[in-house]
Amino acid sequence: VDPLGTSIERFAEHAVEITARLVRIPSDGPAHDERSVVAALTAEAGGLGLPRGDVIAAEPTHPNLIIRIPGAAPGRRLILTSHTDTKPPGDEADPRSGEIRGGRLRGLGSADAKGAVAAMLVAAAALRGANLPTTGELLLVFSADEESDGTRGLAYLASTGVLAADAAIVGEPSGLDAAFDQLPVLARGFVGFTLRANGPRLHSGLVPRAGVGSDPLATIARAVASLPALVHLPATTGNGPHSETGIPSRLTFTSMGGGIADGILAGSTWARGEVRTMPGQTRDIVAAAIRDGLSRLGGGDAAAASVDLEVDTFDWPASFVDPSAAIVTALAAATEQVTGRWPPSGAFPGATEAHVLAGLGVPTVPAFGPGLLSAAHVPGESVATDDLRAAVAIYARAAAAYLS
Ligand SMILES: [Zn+2]
């Protein structure tokens, strides 16, 4: 007699269908908005017999959706949250097909993170359909703007007071080599920055006439090539088990550019980079480490001094949760029940909005959901349909245990 299991079986397929429908709706940051996808989610919630939810938005074009599902008696409040926006597509054909072939659902956001959104919504419906005597409240929070700068998503909701809770799970494609192969208790942080190197915009035929000066393209290229090995962040201490997770902080460049046309010296050049941080490595610590790395750049003081550093003002701190927290053990037990394997504690290499909840003192699993991180932010993004069904069962069983 397993009423929740029966209800999960009855509902699980909806997660596949809803993911396919959500994938077909553009919500690419930062150019597109999330209104259409939130309208669709509201309708899907109604179709599943759930409350249709409330929209709370910093800007109308970037709505966050909150769906409250109260239990039968007072108790703990659990947040299941993920994001409705995606990275922009590349030049691949039909990036939002939502096609299912060979057990995989294809399209932008299928893994990151519309699959998690759909699985959380359907898990709530399955929980409700089982008529369990749950206590407290289950809160579904579907945020906007996570793949852009994140200021209008959970960070904005935190300022409105709606995120008060006893625990939370952030839905992201957390599998590294296989789906659900680890339970991240840590997600690295993210500090973005821009380097700029400027020089005179002149006729390039004047090189190498005396006085033309340094070449900003060479300077920025040298910084991009050398800086990752020159920036050393101080190791963090006192952060418990995640020092054993084995993913170090890391500086990486993701784009660069500059110049105007043939025959003209590039007047201004730029490069965008990011540092993936561990707990305790603050924006200020990162900025100092980059400045130190720049000071040791080859090419002499003049070249190094001509590189300007601008560190983004909004950063994403690393976040972690105590592996013995009730939500972690509930989620691990649910995963074992569904997959047959207790997931070891691990780390999520990407940054998630868990830092906002952790900042409010809410014990938050920083990333757990269907799919592989290696399938996200790539052309031909996809998720296994079995992972979507399993995610419904895991989220529903973890929520039922936590709210019992
Ligand atoms: Zn994501």
Side-chain angles (χ1 to χ4, degrees):
V1 182
D2 176 14
L4 183 54
T6 307
S7 185
I8 288 167
E9 261 179 47
R10 190 152 56 85
F11 278 94
E13 198 58 27
H14 288 295
V16 178
E17 295 156 8
I18 292 172
T19 303
R21 290 196 283 269
L22 295 180
V23 160
R24 294 188 189 111
I25 302 170
S27 56
D28 326 333
H32 275 100
D33 63 49
E34 294 93 349
R35 280 176 295 187
S36 304
V37 76
V38 162
L41 267 175
T42 302
E44 300 284 7
L48 291 167
L50 293 169
R52 297 168 70 90
D54 303 306
V55 165
I56 302 180
E59 292 167 31
T61 50
H62 296 288
N64 300 289
L65 182 64
I66 318 274
I67 301 175
R68 293 166 204 276
I69 298 135
R76 302 195 276 203
R77 179 185 282 159
L78 172 64
I79 291 178
L80 298 181
T81 181
S82 192
H83 59 91
T84 58
D85 62 328
T86 70
K87 289 291 183 195
D91 55 5
E92 65 269 28
D94 202 5
R96 300 183 193 85
S97 74
E99 180 197 10
I100 298 167
R101 192 159 30 93
R104 297 195 73 82
L105 191 161
R106 288 170 200 284
L108 190 61
S110 55
D112 188 9
K114 289 174 175 174
V117 167
M120 286 175 165
L121 187 74
V122 174
L127 202 56
R128 232 190 185 203
N131 277 319
L132 293 179
T134 58
T135 60
E137 189 172 56
L138 177 63
L139 210 64
L140 300 176
V141 178
F142 298 132
S143 63
D145 191 38
E146 196 263 1
E147 298 285 15
S148 299
D149 68 6
T151 55
R152 295 165 293 200
L154 285 199
Y156 171 72
L157 290 176
S159 73
T160 70
V162 297
L163 297 183
D166 298 289
I169 300 169
V170 176
E172 285 284 332
S174 56
L176 291 180
D177 300 309
F180 312 114
D181 61 355
Q182 58 150 356
L183 197 163
V185 293
L186 162 77
R188 287 196 298 182
F190 179 102
V191 179
F193 66 92
T194 304
L195 295 183
R196 287 192 179 81
N198 297 316
R201 197 172 130 190
L202 290 173
H203 196 298
S204 56
L206 291 169
V207 178
R209 240 173 102 99
V212 168
S214 68
D215 173 2
L217 278 175
T219 302
I220 206 82
R222 192 182 305 116
V224 168
S226 306
L227 207 54
L230 293 175
V231 169
H232 301 291
L233 287 155
T236 54
T237 54
N239 293 316
H242 22 281
S243 52
E244 291 146 29
T245 52
I247 43 169
S249 51
R250 170 78 193 179
L251 183 148
T252 308
F253 285 95
T254 50
S255 55
M256 63 186 293
I260 295 162
D262 290 357
I264 308 171
L265 284 182
S268 58
T269 64
W270 58 268
R272 272 294 289 173
E274 62 191 38
V275 178
R276 301 280 176 173
T277 59
M278 293 293 278
Q281 295 173 337
T282 63
R283 177 183 180 276
D284 288 349
I285 288 173
V286 167
I290 298 173
R291 273 195 201 94
D292 179 63
L294 285 172
S295 75
R296 289 183 288 122
L297 208 59
D301 287 349
S306 67
V307 180
D308 288 330
L309 169 67
E310 191 184 314
V311 179
D312 295 358
T313 51
F314 186 82
D315 71 305
W316 298 52
S319 52
F320 58 94
V321 63
D322 184 339
S324 65
I327 188 58
V328 177
T329 48
L331 186 56
T335 304
E336 184 185 38
Q337 199 175 351
V338 174
T339 68
R341 182 172 169 272
W342 185 278
S345 287
F348 187 69
T352 80
E353 292 191 304
H355 71 90
V356 174
L357 290 153
L360 296 172
V362 180
T364 302
V365 175
F368 195 81
L372 306 183
L373 186 60
S374 58
H377 301 194
V378 297
E381 182 174 342
S382 69
V383 68
T385 52
D386 280 347
D387 295 354
L388 296 174
R389 297 180 193 101
V392 172
I394 293 170
Y395 289 143
R397 289 195 181 280
Y402 188 79
L403 299 174
S404 65

